Amino acid sequence: MNCSSYKFSILKVKERLMYTLGISAYYHDSAAALLKDDKIIAAAQEERFTRIKHDAAFPIKAVNYCLEEAEISLSQIDSIVYYENPTLKLSRIISNHIKNVFKGFFLYMDTFPQYLLQKHFIKRNVTKILGKEAAAKLTFLHHHTSHLASAFYPSPFEDAAIITMDGVGEIETTTIAHGEGSNIQIKKTLEFPDSVGLLYSVFTVFCGFKVNSGEYKLMGLAPYGQPKYKDLIQDKLVKIFADGSIKLNMEYFNFCHEPRMFGEKLEKLIGIPARTSESPLTQEYADIASSIQDVTEIIVLKIAQYAKTMTNSKNLCLAGGVALNCVANGRLLKESGFDKIWIQPASGDAGTALGAALHHVYSCKPRTVERENTDSMQGSYLGPQFSDENIEKALIKLDLSFTKLKPDTLIEQTASLLKNDKVIGWFQGRMEFGPRALGNRSIIGNAQSPNLQKQMNLKIKFRESFRPFAPSVLEEDVEHYFQLQCPSPYMLLVATVNQDRCLNDGISPNIESDIHQVRSDIPAVTHVDYTARVQSVSKKTNPKYHALISKFKSITDSAVIINTSFNIRGEPIVCTPEDAIKCFKLTHMDALAIGNYLVLKEQNPSNKEEIDEYINSFEKD
């Protein structure tokens, strides 16, 4: 449906609202999002339904969920918007292969046919999966425009600078824009192969982690090291200009012509071989992580400061994979010159499904922000929810002993378990959209416990012991614990723990020494550099989670708990009651608070063989 017909429909049939479906697919984190006029009805990643981490397949299950949530059929959708332009992307791929024809012949022969068959003929795929009627409603948007829209339109700002930074879209790797009302005007772009996202991914792989999955591990590893390679990176690998644009020295990078992102030349420059996955982490790799994190922060800060001068706006909106670097975001908050920052909680490619739909709507109608200091993401709780009836059926089917409680009693008993250092699966309300669990699909614990960080990493998440956990803190108490003067509802800002709460300040972080040193009075969520990735919890957006932490505070005098995603390593965050029950049964969690039901591990013991089988059923991320 084109814009003129959209306007005509609103004028003639005012009582009928318009449904817009946004889709992202075929690279990683496929997703669907549905709008009813300009209201977000539903949004979800395909991985949550298929149980395949970062699933890139066409998001048919996510589409079906969105339709079910809205209680409509596919035929009632007015417009379907795909998050990027496959023809432009194909043009970039062909151009890149021509430039690297001798180096990249085998990569070309491997990837080009696959691209044509699956990723280019999107309309054909939509026809095959959703039908001819749906394909007739399909339009395409640019990748970075989808990111920009996802960042600006749900924000609480009438006016803002907008920055998108990722690996690469069609050809753009960084885009600066200015948003005013319904209009987004692109001011400047940086093009492939010069990409801060790809630069960070190269070092993610160098340190033994996976692209599009391990970048947050690299960020978590960085504080254990010293930026000893920072000057080398800036001297030899990347030239950084005053406006934040960069020029990569492609002599050291292979991602234009090989499946591997780098070769021996980079290893010789760094002076050590790339780490193999799952091998021991030595101090050199922590130093490399620290170095590339510092360089990335320099680039991101320069881009933001330049965007400030270009737009003269007081507000900044962020999206794209680099916007998930919450350490860099924390620096932007303090040093970029913007008064306020808003970051799309689904900043990666999943969020482009939402951005594509929003851009289509606001290209046809005015946008008025009536939500002072409140965005339109609904806390990012946009996924499926389940009734107590559904939950009880799943508990019975999976043969668990359980107790049904009144809501207040469930909160009281859960808070008491937390006080006693029990680890609890917390499954409530609508599933979160984006990579973070925000208190509806979470594993929670007592942040005051000196032992839980290690216990939860090794016995519940089954992941690397160096990785930190995030705190959930009552929004009204944030400043009592952290050097943060604004809400952080989406766990996308890193802040320093207040000095009066710190212990042993001055300990030099070292990946090869005791990483479980107690550093504050909330040790389970205090990283080695005395920082934390903060989630502020609002009574308005999540009253049940807020009530739980409030009850915990009343019996412990602490307004902070541990919050990590409800899954194990390599597994997508749980979606259904069945997913949650399975994860609970086959880990060492002590309890499961699911809906109004409380399940205790002591009444439902785990079987070691089943646990091992469960852990091994997911590929390590």
Side-chain angles (χ1 to χ4, degrees):
M1 172 173 281
N2 62 34
C3 187
S4 60
S5 62
Y6 183 98
K7 290 178 179 177
F8 180 82
S9 297
I10 291 177
L11 288 172
K12 294 295 184 181
V13 195
K14 287 189 177 181
E15 69 276 11
R16 184 182 183 278
L17 295 173
M18 313 301 287
Y19 289 100
T20 306
L21 179 67
I23 291 174
S24 64
Y26 297 127
Y27 287 91
H28 55 88
D29 297 299
S30 293
L34 181 64
L35 305 183
K36 184 178 182 180
D37 198 13
D38 59 355
K39 179 178 172 58
I40 306 169
I41 299 298
Q45 297 105 297
E46 186 73 357
E47 67 162 21
R48 306 295 170 84
F49 305 98
T50 63
R51 313 308 299 154
I52 300 170
K53 189 89 168 183
H54 303 301
D55 196 347
F58 188 89
I60 184 60
K61 293 181 183 293
V63 168
N64 288 336
Y65 153 67
C66 289
L67 297 175
E68 290 169 9
E69 184 67 33
E71 298 181 334
I72 62 172
S73 66
L74 185 61
S75 64
Q76 291 173 268
I77 297 293
D78 297 284
S79 300
I80 301 174
V81 192
Y82 191 70
Y83 78 118
E84 68 178 11
N85 187 316
T87 301
L88 288 178
K89 178 159 279 191
L90 178 63
S91 176
R92 188 256 298 169
I93 290 171
I94 292 173
S95 175
N96 176 65
H97 282 311
I98 290 172
K99 291 176 183 176
N100 297 278
V101 63
F102 297 110
K103 292 181 180 178
F105 177 77
F106 292 105
L107 177 67
Y108 176 85
M109 293 302 294
D110 181 54
T111 61
F112 190 69
Q114 179 189 15
Y115 181 86
L116 277 181
L117 288 172
Q118 184 186 55
K119 301 177 181 180
H120 179 65
F121 297 110
I122 303 302
K123 195 156 192 171
R124 182 188 65 184
N125 294 351
V126 170
T127 301
K128 182 179 179 180
I129 298 167
L130 298 181
K132 289 183 180 180
E133 183 182 353
K137 301 172 183 177
L138 181 66
T139 58
F140 299 91
L141 197 63
H142 287 195
H143 186 107
H144 271 213
T145 303
S146 295
H147 274 309
L148 295 169
S150 78
F152 178 59
Y153 290 135
S155 79
F157 308 139
E158 283 278 6
D159 173 279
I162 322 167
I163 301 174
T164 289
M165 298 168 285
D166 61 7
V168 60
E170 288 87 1
I171 188 169
E172 296 85 3
T173 61
T174 298
T175 300
I176 298 173
H178 187 199
E180 293 181 284
S182 297
N183 182 56
I184 293 176
Q185 183 180 8
I186 293 175
K187 296 290 188 179
K188 186 167 184 176
T189 62
L190 185 66
E191 295 185 350
F192 181 84
D194 300 311
S195 166
V196 63
L198 288 174
L199 176 65
Y200 201 84
S201 290
V202 164
F203 282 94
T204 298
V205 176
F206 196 99
C207 289
F209 308 125
K210 288 186 178 180
V211 174
N212 298 324
S213 176
E215 283 81 1
Y216 58 93
K217 297 185 188 182
L218 192 71
M219 183 180 66
L221 178 62
Y224 289 99
Q226 299 297 323
K228 296 179 179 178
Y229 300 88
K230 178 178 173 181
D231 291 341
L232 180 68
I233 291 171
Q234 293 184 93
D235 290 344
K236 297 292 186 179
L237 299 180
V238 56
K239 185 173 183 180
I240 306 171
F241 300 95
D243 62 358
S245 59
I246 61 173
K247 187 70 178 175
L248 297 184
N249 184 350
M250 296 307 296
E251 292 180 23
Y252 293 95
F253 304 111
N254 294 358
F255 54 76
C256 284
H257 54 82
E258 285 186 17
R260 194 176 188 227
M261 299 191 78
F262 59 88
E264 290 182 4
K265 190 167 185 177
L266 181 62
E267 293 176 298
K268 288 179 181 178
L269 178 69
I270 299 298
I272 60 171
R275 174 178 171 262
T276 57
S277 179
E278 306 304 313
S279 64
L281 268 170
T282 58
Q283 191 58 42
E284 292 92 343
Y285 298 105
D287 293 339
I288 291 168
S290 175
S291 302
I292 192 59
Q293 178 65 34
D294 266 23
V295 171
T296 299
E297 290 173 25
I298 291 168
I299 296 168
V300 169
L301 189 58
K302 284 180 179 291
I303 291 170
Q305 290 169 338
Y306 185 68
K308 171 74 175 169
T309 63
M310 289 190 78
T311 63
N312 198 32
S313 179
K314 297 178 180 179
N315 307 309
L316 173 63
C317 296
L318 298 174
V322 178
L324 294 172
N325 191 310
C326 49
V327 179
N329 294 342
R331 283 197 65 182
L332 288 179
L333 189 64
K334 293 185 288 187
E335 301 177 45
S336 65
F338 289 97
D339 293 348
K340 295 181 179 180
I341 295 177
W342 190 85
I343 307 157
Q344 166 55 240
S347 278
D349 276 4
T352 57
L354 177 60
L358 286 166
H359 188 275
H360 180 80
V361 168
Y362 286 118
S363 66
C364 301
K365 64 173 291 183
R367 169 181 175 265
T368 303
V369 177
E370 298 175 353
R371 314 169 301 271
E372 186 177 354
N373 296 321
T374 304
D375 62 50
S376 63
M377 287 295 294
Q378 304 162 49
S380 210
Y381 306 114
L382 299 169
Q385 61 183 334
F386 300 87
S387 67
D388 274 357
E389 182 182 4
N390 294 140
I391 291 168
E392 186 166 327
K393 285 181 180 178
L395 290 166
I396 293 170
K397 179 182 177 182
L398 295 171
D399 196 28
L400 269 73
S401 298
F402 58 87
T403 304
K404 186 173 185 180
L405 303 170
K406 293 180 179 180
D408 289 348
T409 306
L410 178 85
I411 286 171
E412 289 171 5
Q413 292 196 19
T414 303
S416 179
L417 289 166
L418 288 171
K419 180 183 178 181
N420 292 313
D421 291 353
K422 303 301 182 184
V423 178
I424 301 160
W426 181 255
F427 182 102
Q428 306 292 333
R430 297 186 70 177
M431 182 181 70
E432 300 88 342
F433 180 52
R436 308 291 182 225
L438 301 170
N440 280 8
R441 301 290 187 273
S442 294
I443 299 173
I444 56 178
N446 185 356
Q448 296 174 307
S449 170
N451 301 315
L452 277 193
Q453 190 265 354
K454 181 177 182 179
Q455 178 185 336
M456 289 175 70
N457 265 333
L458 298 180
K459 292 189 176 182
I460 294 165
K461 299 287 282 187
F462 304 107
R463 68 184 195 181
E464 303 93 338
S465 61
F466 73 87
R467 289 168 61 181
F469 288 110
S472 287
V473 55
L474 297 177
E475 185 177 79
E476 57 269 30
D477 286 329
V478 168
E479 292 186 47
H480 297 310
Y481 294 87
F482 306 103
Q483 295 177 25
L484 187 63
Q485 284 74 51
C486 66
S488 177
Y490 301 123
M491 209 185 284
L492 288 170
L493 293 172
V494 160
T496 302
V497 177
N498 286 341
Q499 184 65 40
D500 61 352
R501 296 190 172 276
C502 292
L503 310 168
N504 303 313
D505 196 1
I507 294 174
S508 179
N510 189 305
I511 195 67
E512 296 171 344
S513 64
D514 181 13
I515 62 176
H516 302 294
Q517 176 74 44
V518 173
R519 287 178 163 81
S520 78
D521 63 0
I522 44 173
V525 295
T526 302
H527 204 19
V528 291
D529 57 351
Y530 297 89
T531 65
R533 178 163 45 94
V534 179
Q535 181 205 1
S536 58
V537 180
S538 165
K539 186 176 183 179
K540 182 178 179 181
T541 55
N542 198 332
K544 195 165 190 177
Y545 195 42
H546 187 277
L548 173 65
I549 302 174
S550 296
K551 175 56 69 173
F552 180 74
K553 179 184 177 183
S554 73
I555 61 177
T556 64
D557 200 32
S558 175
V560 183
I561 65 172
I562 302 168
N563 176 12
T564 188
S565 55
F566 199 150
N567 61 342
I568 66 168
R569 184 182 178 189
E571 178 189 24
I573 295 173
V574 299
C575 176
T576 66
E578 290 81 2
D579 298 333
I581 293 165
K582 187 174 183 180
C583 188
F584 163 73
K585 282 186 68 175
L586 300 177
T587 63
H588 298 284
M589 276 184 262
D590 298 297
L592 171 64
I594 180 167
N596 287 310
Y597 299 87
L598 186 63
V599 188
L600 300 177
K601 181 57 64 70
E602 61 190 31
Q603 298 171 359
N604 300 275
S606 303
N607 179 291
K608 185 181 185 304
E609 289 73 24
E610 289 179 327
I611 291 174
D612 291 342
E613 183 180 350
Y614 179 59
I615 296 168
N616 294 328
S617 67
F618 298 103
E619 184 180 351
K620 290 182 178 179
D621 61 7

